[in-house]
Amino acid sequence: MQVLHSLPKFKNPDMLVGTETGDDAGVYRLRPDLAIVNTVDFFTPIVDDPYIFGQISAANSLSDVYAMDIEILGEILRGGADKVIESGAVVIGGHSIIDEEIKFGMAVTGVIHPDKIFRNVGVQEGDVLILTKPLGTGIITTALKKGKASEESVNEAVKSMTTLNAAASLVARKHPVHACSDVTGFGILGHALGMASGSGVTLVIESAKLPLLRRAPRLAEKGYITGGCKRNQEYLNDKMVIDKSIREGLIQVALDPQTSGGLLLAVAKRHAAKLVDDLHAGGVPHATEVGYATSLQKSWVRLV
């Protein structure tokens, strides 16, 4: 996030979404009724199964737009391809590098009407925040690497990470959503900061309402947290307020970098219950109200 501050500010009337607000994808207008959406994401393996890793990586890359052994490599590519097919997209090419550690990801390109873009800014005072997936994937996969995650916890995390955000996006587009971000590397608190600072409001995250992966808080309390979680906490330290009554494990889950995380949606309070009901009916069972927006206070984000 700090690295982006050194980039020059590009100005173009057709650049509808650039780097200024840390949005999930770039958007460039081609004509009045058509814009192109582009994003890229990749990372090293976080699970042992190469096919599942390919699925997770593809789902993670696709999220932004609604973001060795040859046999093993083939399974990774097959997993990625199957998830792309599920999304309705196609793979048209690629690029490879030789390295000691496997990395896999995708550049994703789509099109959208310029008037129908979900931005991560635009949250209004009184809005309700809705999260569509449970939190804790970074903690679970870190514990997995140490051999300390149960099979049940890993299976639950894998199911979440390989689930596309397509259903959630489809439902959300039928509602008057004010702002949206996918919850990935900056954790829910980091992405809430981006939404709050870009909108001029304070976002209050209610810890008791957060949907959680099984055992994630307990594993965090045992020390199974990522380096990204620590960096998130350092960056957010002077930008958020955390209630002293919240136990440490829950704080770490709120800071935990997510892989292929859910969508964080801001919608007027009068529309929130209907949106949650429609998400549940549309195949998004974990969709939950997790907070709200207030007028700007002393900090951008509060965890209560």
Side-chain angles (χ1 to χ4, degrees), residues 153-198:
S153 296
V154 173
N155 289 342
E156 187 182 26
V158 166
K159 182 178 180 180
S160 179
M161 290 186 290
T162 55
T163 298
L164 295 172
N165 279 323
S169 176
L170 182 63
V171 172
R173 289 200 299 270
K174 299 175 182 178
H175 290 259
V177 171
H178 292 154
C180 173
S181 176
D182 68 338
V183 177
T184 48
F186 299 125
I188 189 171
L189 294 181
H191 287 279
L193 168 65
M195 295 175 75
S197 61

Side-chain angles (χ1 to χ4, degrees), residues 216-289:
R218 186 175 300 180
L219 288 169
E221 287 169 355
K222 291 183 178 180
Y224 299 109
I225 58 176
T226 68
C229 185
K230 297 172 184 175
R231 289 190 291 272
N232 285 344
Q233 187 160 20
E234 290 172 2
Y235 179 77
L236 292 166
N237 191 47
D238 61 347
K239 303 173 183 67
M240 66 177 179
V241 172
I242 297 177
D243 193 285
K244 293 181 179 179
S245 65
I246 303 173
R247 77 179 201 261
E248 185 61 26
L250 199 49
I251 295 172
Q252 295 305 322
V253 172
L255 291 163
D256 186 42
Q258 302 302 287
T259 297
S260 188
L263 302 181
L264 184 60
L265 305 160
V267 65
K269 186 175 181 178
R270 66 183 181 277
H271 299 300
K274 182 67 165 62
L275 175 51
V276 171
D277 287 345
D278 286 355
L279 285 165
H280 291 169
V284 188
H286 295 285
T288 309
E289 293 185 17

Side-chain angles (χ1 to χ4, degrees), residues 43-276:
F43 49 88
T44 57
I46 57 173
V47 293
D48 295 329
D49 187 299
Y51 177 79
I52 291 175
F53 169 56
Q55 285 195 312
I56 292 170
S57 185
N60 185 68
S61 297
L62 288 161
S63 174
D64 284 338
V65 293
Y66 310 127
M68 169 166 122
D69 188 302
I70 295 299
E71 186 174 330
I72 290 176
L73 177 58
E75 279 295 283
I76 293 172
L77 295 175
R78 187 171 72 87
D82 283 353
K83 193 55 61 172
V84 169
I85 291 169
E86 181 186 335
S87 77
V90 295
V91 177
I92 60 173
H95 179 70
S96 61
I97 60 171
I98 297 175
D99 196 1
E100 292 181 359
E101 188 170 22
I102 293 174
K103 302 171 184 66
F104 179 67
M106 291 183 170
V108 182
T109 300
V111 293
I112 193 171
H113 193 290
D115 296 334
K116 297 181 179 180
I117 300 169
F118 279 167
R119 297 287 310 273
N120 69 345
V121 297
V123 185
Q124 298 178 19
E125 183 179 340
D127 277 359
V128 169
L129 303 175
I130 296 169
L131 180 64
T132 64
K133 281 189 181 184
L135 301 170
T137 60
I139 292 165
I140 299 295
T141 54
T142 298
L144 171 64
K145 293 175 183 177
K146 303 291 185 180
K148 298 298 183 180
S150 68
E151 183 178 354
E152 187 178 38
S153 296
V154 173
N155 289 342
E156 187 182 26
V158 166
K159 182 178 180 180
S160 179
M161 290 186 290
T162 55
T163 298
L164 295 172
N165 279 323
S169 176
L170 182 63
V171 172
R173 289 200 299 270
K174 299 175 182 178
H175 290 259
V177 171
H178 292 154
C180 173
S181 176
D182 68 338
V183 177
T184 48
F186 299 125
I188 189 171
L189 294 181
H191 287 279
L193 168 65
M195 295 175 75
S197 61
S199 306
V201 297
T202 289
L203 296 190
V204 180
I205 306 297
E206 300 175 276
S207 60
K209 294 184 177 181
L210 293 175
L212 307 173
L213 291 173
R214 209 180 317 250
R215 292 181 57 82
R218 186 175 300 180
L219 288 169
E221 287 169 355
K222 291 183 178 180
Y224 299 109
I225 58 176
T226 68
C229 185
K230 297 172 184 175
R231 289 190 291 272
N232 285 344
Q233 187 160 20
E234 290 172 2
Y235 179 77
L236 292 166
N237 191 47
D238 61 347
K239 303 173 183 67
M240 66 177 179
V241 172
I242 297 177
D243 193 285
K244 293 181 179 179
S245 65
I246 303 173
R247 77 179 201 261
E248 185 61 26
L250 199 49
I251 295 172
Q252 295 305 322
V253 172
L255 291 163
D256 186 42
Q258 302 302 287
T259 297
S260 188
L263 302 181
L264 184 60
L265 305 160
V267 65
K269 186 175 181 178
R270 66 183 181 277
H271 299 300
K274 182 67 165 62
L275 175 51
V276 171

